[in-house]
Amino acid sequence: MANEAKPCPCDIGDRMEYGGLGQEVQIQHVKAYVVKPTAASEKAVIVIQDIFGWGLPNTRYMADMLSANGYTAVVPDFFLGKEPWSPSHDWSKFQEWLEDKKPTNINKEVDVVLKFLREQCGASRIATVGFCWGGVATHHLALQYPDIKAGVSVYGIIRDREDRHELKSPTLFIFAEKDEVIPLDQVTVLEKNLHDKCSADFQVKIFPGQTHGFVHRKRDDINPADKPLIEEARLDMLNWLRQYM
């Protein structure tokens, strides 16, 4: 789900056989995957899952990549143990499944994770990175939490909210040109309104020829034609975090 008004027919893509370098922990009522950098760091990133849940190896791979670049990375289970979406599920039931998993209803869990990162991981500068469902959540948090230093919303967009362009923290929006869920006209409207109404730094970037999920669900090692754009998007994410953290 990357669009509140039109849930996406998400393809799980190239699911990785990947075990992860971190560990699973319990943070009050929230389970989370946590991976720390080799050297102590005051910088941390909350990595927000897509509809396939916190256990998707692709998402944990992204957390490990952030850790390798000097960040404590945490992937909370924002579904709180509820079953994630599966490619085998019936899309006609998606809205019913989504009802108790709104990406804009996670503040309680975010507060718990922020406290954990500050008090137990020594983090004083915290950002968010989210994919699909998590991209919507990242956009939401950028409107709510001025103390979050930066956000990267990857193919996610809030459409139906009055203050959706009033970002409180610098936010990078990454979109795919051929995303069937987020048409380019929506991206154009978002960018225009951000220019008109947003006082925080932002960037909207569209990747030509790419489809929904390309940054984290498409494996660069088996998609050589897409590899340069996958790598560029991931580098953009890292550079944005470096710039604002």
Side-chain angles (χ1 to χ4, degrees), residues 119-203:
E119 295 183 0
Q120 298 191 40
C121 300
S124 59
R125 303 180 69 79
I126 301 171
T128 58
V129 172
F131 306 92
C132 181
W133 186 96
V136 178
T138 296
H139 188 174
H140 164 73
L141 296 176
L143 302 171
Q144 297 269 316
Y145 287 81
D147 54 334
I148 289 178
K149 299 300 181 184
V152 182
S153 173
V154 189
Y155 25 81
I157 187 172
I158 288 179
R159 294 181 67 252
D160 301 319
R161 178 169 158 172
E162 283 297 317
D163 68 345
R164 62 189 178 276
H165 306 113
E166 298 171 14
L167 303 174
K168 303 293 193 299
S169 56
T171 306
L172 168 64
F173 293 89
I174 291 175
F175 295 105
E177 181 190 25
K178 296 185 177 179
D179 193 326
E180 295 182 358
V181 189
I182 307 177
L184 289 184
D185 62 336
Q186 290 185 14
V187 178
T188 301
V189 169
L190 171 70
E191 186 169 21
K192 179 184 182 304
N193 284 324
L194 286 171
H195 277 295
D196 292 343
K197 302 176 182 180
C198 182
S199 58
D201 287 349
F202 70 89
Q203 183 182 354

Side-chain angles (χ1 to χ4, degrees), residues 20-140:
L21 302 175
Q23 59 181 340
E24 295 183 4
V25 302
Q26 189 76 38
I27 308 173
Q28 295 188 34
H29 67 293
V30 183
K31 286 185 177 179
Y33 172 81
V34 178
V35 57
K36 296 183 178 182
T38 53
S41 174
E42 64 176 11
K43 299 177 182 180
V45 179
I46 302 174
V47 181
I48 308 180
Q49 68 205 47
D50 60 18
I51 61 172
F52 299 112
W54 74 303
L56 186 72
N58 305 56
T59 304
R60 296 190 176 195
Y61 176 84
M62 299 302 292
D64 288 358
M65 183 184 73
L66 287 163
S67 174
N69 282 273
Y71 303 95
T72 295
V74 56
V75 186
D77 176 14
F78 283 113
F79 295 167
L80 301 177
K82 301 182 186 80
E83 183 182 10
W85 189 256
S86 166
S88 63
H89 287 174
D90 180 356
W91 277 107
S92 69
K93 305 289 177 112
F94 182 81
Q95 288 292 354
E96 179 183 338
W97 171 86
L98 184 64
E99 193 58 38
D100 61 353
K101 305 175 190 70
K102 299 290 187 183
T104 53
N105 190 29
I106 61 171
N107 291 39
K108 180 180 178 181
E109 288 67 46
V110 169
D111 290 343
V112 165
V113 174
L114 288 172
K115 186 173 187 288
F116 166 79
L117 288 171
R118 288 169 178 146
E119 295 183 0
Q120 298 191 40
C121 300
S124 59
R125 303 180 69 79
I126 301 171
T128 58
V129 172
F131 306 92
C132 181
W133 186 96
V136 178
T138 296
H139 188 174
H140 164 73

